[in-house]
Structures are given as structure tokens and as C-alpha cells.
Amino acid sequence: MLLIVIAFLAGVFTILSPCILPVVPFVFARSDQPFVTDRLPLLVGLAGTFALVTGLGTAGLSGAAQLSEYGRWISLALFAVFGAALLFPEIASRLSRPLSGLADRFVASSQGQGATRRIGSAVLLGAATGLLWAPCAGPILGLILTGAALHGASWQTGAALAAYAGGAACSLAVVSGLGKRSLDLLKRSFGLGEGLRRAMGALVLLTVGAIALGIDTRILAYVPSAPTNAIESRLVNLLATKKPVPAAAQADRIVRVSSTSNVSAPAALPVQGRLPSLDGATSWLNSAPLSSDALRGKVVVVNFWTYSCINCLRTLPYLKTWAQRYHDDGLVVIGVHTPEFGFEHDAGNVERALGDLNIHYPVAIDNGYRIWQAFGNQYWPAFYIVDAQGRIRYHHFGEGGYDEAEQAIRQLLTDHGGSLPAAARQPVQATGAQAAADPADVGSGETYVGYREAQGFASSQRVKRDAAFAYTLPAQLPLNNWGLAGEWNIGAESAVPTARQGRIAYRFHARDLHLVLAPTADGKPVRFRITVDGAAPGAAHGADVASDGTGVVTSARLYQLVRQPGPVNDRTFQIEFLDPGVKVFSFTFG
């Protein structure tokens, strides 16, 4: 229920985002019409169509993308007719009968024919507006869509999408009401009724042309949406401050957390529940299968992670240190690998990652999300500390809080009869991508490349889903925007260059830049070359690239490409793939 309420609030705040601008002219053009029979049905049609089409997409229906694309062009044609009718009265008179007949097909009624025609045409225009509306995938909407992608569509997903669209519709209703008052004032004061009607028609036609040519997306790429993202991030934190509850009682809430989201004070260590069953694992690595009963008498740390998640990687040095430091005292660290991307479902990829990351403690492969759901977990990374009686006594979501967590481990080991030395412990050392982030200078956030959750795309061409298409980079990239050059096939989860010399550029502000990459479908390595501000990275090269900017994608994982040793400023990163077929998933920073 909390997710639905917060989704509604996020939709309300969408009015502050530039992403709402393309649909405002269509709503404003109906501002002079009655609310109940015209403006309200339009907004209902907008919210309903957006929730329906987006819901079909999250349900994984194969025709959803095509339905949305075809509907978009039908909607543009409908609004072109609508704008022409406002601009030229003679066109309106010729089209009134056919449009009324079309509306009558949507609304079956035997009485009040005039009102039902107005309602029907308004719902039709609202549905068309919903097909044109492509809101920014901010934290809330991204959370809903990711949850649906991982867990499958559910009534919670549908309700959250409807709440999000309903919140946006409420904001647009306020805009429409203010527009009506303004229009009424102008008509009474200056007698501009006919001129205003024509001006709104011209505005609608200009908007249709801008959307059809992709001008709207090119303009919006240069308009920051940070205010609404910041508001939505605060709303996400409201979700994160709830204590874990059984999965059946939760809405889908799946978030990568880069900093502390929830800390239970280790001094009190209250009982927070019992260790759920671990039987949902599809397989185990580094160990025979473990059960909750077999772990009785041990203090257990259960860590939810996925091996390409940068936030998860930065917690590993602490988990590995605890596993080694307290093994003889009765501590067992268990990693629960719950995948995000498709390649992370491959147990062979996970096993290879364990070797690369030097992880020797037991890891449960949770491809079905059964352990995740048993814990009611919704975060990467997350860990739960269980006492010797099988009771959860401490949990933490995100990076940080390591001293408090180790204090909780020591306290529970001591309570179980252990005798731990009080001497100062050696600090944990981490290198490469596992080194702690520089939070004071991180001005860029995780950015997905696949169209399902992509944002900040600044190439001049509109994204062609699941089809090869040629893209070009803009002359300048605004901060936190990215673009493609060459021929690419952009899928829901990743983008793939279909020819050599495919390039991707990103304007970022952070010490580190990482990119999740996978080799070709047949496993062939892919060579690449990177530049920072047009030059080889030199001393700013990351762990997976040479100082001259060259590197090779050999396996599906996160690659650290930039680590700046000096001052952190806005930089333009570019990577060129010398071979086709690489899969590009997401950027992360630190």
C-alpha cells in the first residue's frame, strides 16, 4: 500500500519534470471545455491508457512495444486533425459528423447523446495522449518497472502504475483548471475567444510535428530533471525506512542502494524475526546445500548481492574479512546471489566471478528469487545477521555502516559463549572496483542503456526498439546525458552495436566510471578503446583498461574504465567498440 501511495505522489510531482511538457499542449487545448464531460474523461483516458500499455510491457507481452509504437502514430494523426479543426473552423464543421460517429462507437448510450459524444471524444483524445506520454523513468517509476521485470506483473504493479498515472492526471487537472480561468479572463477582458482557439490549434499542430520529428526528445535532453528525481529519491527512502516484512505483504520494491538506507542500532539488537528457509536456492557454490536448521548454533551473515552491482562489489571486502576473521569463532557468511541482468542467471558466470573476486564462503544461487522473497528483501546489497538461536538481530541495506555491523557480529558471538580479543582490528583494504566510492564528488547516478529503464539519451534520433538503427552523437553532451554513434540495436535490457566502430559517450561527474558489459552472443572477446575529454585516459585509467585506453571484453561483468587520481570535474567519456556484438547494460559511478 505504501508503494501505491508514493507512486501517486511521484505522479503528482511529475508536473515539475520537463518530461510532462509534450502532453501539456494537448491538455491545455481542452481547457475551455466543461470539466465533467470533457476534461475529466480526457485525463481518465490518459491515465488509463498509460497504465494499460506500460502494464502490458512489464508483463512481457510480445506485442506491447509494437502496440505502443503504432498507437503513437495513430495518436499523432488524431491530434493533427484535432489541431487543424481548432485552427480552421471550416475543417471542424466537415469533420464534426465523422468524429461524433467515432465517439459514439466508444460510448454506447440511448439518452443524452450530446453529452456522451463529448465524453467519448474526450476519452479518445485522452487515450491518444496516454500513448504519446513517455515520462522520465525516475526512481519511483524505475522501481516499479524493475520490480515487474524481476518478479513478473502483479496486481501491485498494475495498481502502482495506475496510481502514478493518476497522480500525473491530477496535476494536469490543476493545469487545465488554471488554463480555463486564464482563457475565461482573456475572453471577457479582450474578446480573444476566436484568436485563442486558433492559437491553441497552432500549438497542437506544432507539438505534433515536434513529437513526430523527435524534436521534443532532443530539446528535453538539455533540460535537467534533477528536481523531480531528488523528490522521488526522498520518497524511495520512505520505502527503505520500513523494517523487512514477509514478501507476501509487500509491493514490489527492488532498489540498488549506494548508501545507508536502514540501520538497526546494534546496541539493542532487537529480535526482528527468524531465519527463513534457504531451500529456495537452485544450487550452491563453495559449499554443500545449507539449511536453517543446520546453521543453528552459528552466527550467520546472509548477504544479498549480484555480481555486476557496483554497490554490492564495494561491500565484498568487508564480508570476506569478517568471514576470515571470525570463522574460528563460529561465524558463517552466506552470499545469496539474486540476479538482475539475464547473464547473471548463468551459474557458470557466477562461479567465474567468485574466482575473480576471491570469494570462498558459501554462495546460494537464487535465480528464482525464492530466498529473496522469503526474507521480504528488496535491496542490493543487503545483509541480515542471525544469532545462534536462528533469530534475525540486525539488518542493513546499502553500503556503509560496517563498524556497526561488525560490532553486532562480535556481540552475538560473545553472547553465544565466544571469547573475542579486544585488540584493535586491522582496517579493511580494497582495490579496483571494490574500493569505496568518493561520495562527496559523485554527481552522476546509475544509468541503464536498455530502453526499459533508460534516461538521459541525447542522440538526435528517437530510439528504435529491438531493431538495428544508425545513431549520431550530439555536438555537445549535457551533464548526465549520453548518446550513441553508429549502428546499434537497443533492446529492453542492453544495447548492441551491429557494426564495427560503434561508440557510446557519456558526460559525467565522478571519480570512477564503470560499465556493465558482456561479449558477443557466441562468447567472442570484443576489443574497445576509451577516451576522456577526447584523449587517452593516462593515469585516469581504470582497473580494466590500459593507460592508452585499450581493453577487451572477455566475460559478462562490470568493468572499471575510469579512476581519476586528481581533481574531479565534468568529463566526457567515450568508448569505441572495435568489434561488433558487445552488450552494453548500464553505467555506474563512484
Side-chain angles (χ1 to χ4, degrees):
M1 178 59 70
L2 181 60
L3 176 64
I4 294 172
V5 173
I6 289 180
F8 176 83
L9 293 176
V12 170
F13 286 121
T14 302
I15 198 67
L16 302 177
S17 170
C19 302
I20 201 74
L21 294 179
V23 305
V24 170
F26 304 133
V27 176
F28 192 75
R30 303 282 292 189
S31 295
D32 60 338
Q33 302 298 317
F35 179 76
V36 174
T37 59
D38 284 273
R39 288 183 284 143
L40 178 59
L42 181 142
L43 295 171
V44 170
L46 181 152
T49 304
F50 169 77
L52 174 63
V53 174
T54 309
L56 290 174
T58 58
L61 298 186
S62 59
Q66 290 84 349
L67 172 65
S68 179
E69 187 65 18
Y70 294 149
R72 172 178 170 273
W73 288 108
I74 294 172
S75 300
L76 287 173
L78 180 62
F79 274 111
V81 173
F82 174 56
L86 289 174
L87 188 59
F88 304 107
E90 59 273 15
I91 294 179
S93 62
R94 292 181 181 181
L95 293 176
S96 59
R97 290 182 181 178
L99 288 180
S100 294
L102 181 61
D104 287 341
R105 294 185 182 183
F106 282 85
V107 181
S109 175
S110 59
Q111 298 179 345
Q113 196 80 27
T116 56
R117 283 177 177 171
R118 289 198 302 271
I119 293 173
S121 62
V123 170
L124 180 63
L125 289 173
T129 308
L131 289 171
L132 295 177
W133 181 35
C136 292
I140 298 295
L141 187 57
L143 182 150
I144 297 169
L145 297 179
T146 303
L150 292 172
H151 290 307
S154 64
W155 72 266
Q156 293 102 327
T157 300
L161 287 172
Y164 185 93
C170 289
S171 295
L172 289 170
V174 174
V175 170
S176 178
L178 294 175
K180 177 174 174 56
R181 292 185 182 182
S182 301
L183 291 175
D184 290 343
L185 178 62
L186 290 172
K187 289 178 181 178
R188 289 195 304 268
S189 303
F190 303 102
L192 299 177
E194 182 65 19
L196 285 173
R197 187 180 62 79
R198 289 176 178 269
M200 286 190 293
L203 179 61
V204 169
L205 289 175
L206 287 172
T207 305
V208 167
I211 294 176
L213 297 174
I215 297 174
D216 60 324
T217 56
R218 292 200 293 272
I219 293 175
L220 292 179
Y222 290 89
V223 181
S225 57
T228 48
N229 282 344
I231 294 171
E232 290 193 34
S233 295
R234 293 190 183 98
L235 294 175
V236 168
N237 286 337
L238 290 178
L239 295 172
T241 55
K242 292 192 71 180
K243 289 183 179 180
V245 295
Q250 294 193 30
D252 291 314
R253 299 202 301 271
I254 302 166
V255 181
R256 285 191 182 189
V257 187
S258 60
S259 59
T260 300
S261 295
N262 192 333
V263 181
S264 300
L269 293 185
V271 175
Q272 302 176 359
R274 299 202 65 83
L275 174 64
S277 171
L278 303 176
D279 294 340
T282 55
S283 61
W284 286 79
L285 299 175
N286 293 341
S287 169
L290 298 175
S291 67
S292 302
D293 291 339
L295 292 168
R296 192 69 58 87
K298 300 285 188 179
V299 175
V300 182
V301 177
V302 179
N303 168 238
F304 286 92
W305 72 301
T306 186
Y307 82 83
S308 73
C309 165
I310 184 60
N311 310 116
C312 301
L313 293 177
R314 290 195 288 247
T315 65
L316 292 180
Y318 297 89
L319 291 161
K320 290 186 291 184
T321 297
W322 298 337
Q324 183 178 13
R325 181 177 288 168
Y326 300 110
H327 176 269
D328 294 339
D329 300 303
L331 178 71
V332 176
V333 175
I334 297 174
V336 178
H337 187 274
T338 312
E340 178 182 15
F341 296 120
F343 64 82
E344 292 173 322
H345 287 76
D346 187 331
N349 286 342
V350 181
E351 186 172 14
R352 182 166 45 250
L354 297 188
D356 294 340
L357 298 169
N358 197 29
I359 294 174
H360 302 294
Y361 53 75
V363 173
I365 302 299
D366 188 31
N367 285 348
Y369 277 71
R370 292 178 60 187
I371 301 177
W372 175 287
Q373 292 167 357
F375 273 81
N377 183 61
Q378 296 297 322
Y379 306 97
W380 290 293
F383 57 81
Y384 301 80
I385 301 180
V386 182
D387 66 17
Q389 286 74 47
R391 302 173 298 179
I392 298 175
R393 303 291 297 277
Y394 178 88
H395 68 273
H396 182 93
F397 303 148
E399 299 176 47
Y402 303 115
D403 289 342
E404 293 86 350
E406 187 166 4
Q407 180 184 339
I409 291 171
R410 291 175 64 86
Q411 180 175 329
L412 293 177
L413 289 172
T414 302
D415 290 345
H416 190 54
S419 178
L420 302 179
R425 300 180 294 275
Q426 293 294 321
V428 174
Q429 301 294 326
T431 59
Q434 297 182 47
D438 180 10
D441 252 327
V442 177
S444 298
E446 182 174 18
T447 302
Y448 291 87
V449 176
Y451 62 72
R452 186 170 60 210
E453 296 183 69
Q455 57 182 331
F457 183 67
S459 286
S460 56
Q461 296 79 16
R462 182 181 293 274
V463 169
K464 299 292 184 182
R465 298 184 174 189
D466 301 310
F469 191 74
Y471 298 91
T472 57
L473 289 172
Q476 283 189 321
L477 278 172
L479 183 63
N480 295 330
N481 280 249
W482 61 281
L484 299 173
E487 190 173 275
W488 289 75
N489 187 333
I490 302 178
E493 188 177 75
S494 64
V496 179
T498 56
R500 300 187 180 199
Q501 279 77 51
R503 291 177 290 145
I504 182 169
Y506 195 114
R507 184 76 171 167
F508 74 103
H509 184 102
R511 183 194 67 191
D512 304 337
L513 179 146
H514 314 94
L515 195 54
V516 178
L517 301 166
T520 62
D522 58 3
K524 290 183 179 179
V526 176
R527 299 167 299 152
F528 65 81
R529 179 170 49 241
I530 74 165
T531 60
V532 178
D533 291 338
H541 71 92
D544 294 300
V545 65
S547 59
D548 65 354
T550 59
V552 181
V553 179
T554 56
S555 61
R557 62 179 177 87
L558 179 141
Y559 289 76
Q560 185 186 74
L561 303 179
V562 175
R563 166 156 284 178
Q564 301 182 71
V568 175
N569 298 306
D570 295 355
R571 307 285 189 190
T572 298
F573 164 87
Q574 183 167 285
I575 183 169
E576 178 183 10
F577 296 101
L578 306 180
D579 307 299
V582 69
K583 293 183 179 180
V584 184
F585 292 87
S586 66
F587 287 92
T588 56
F589 304 90

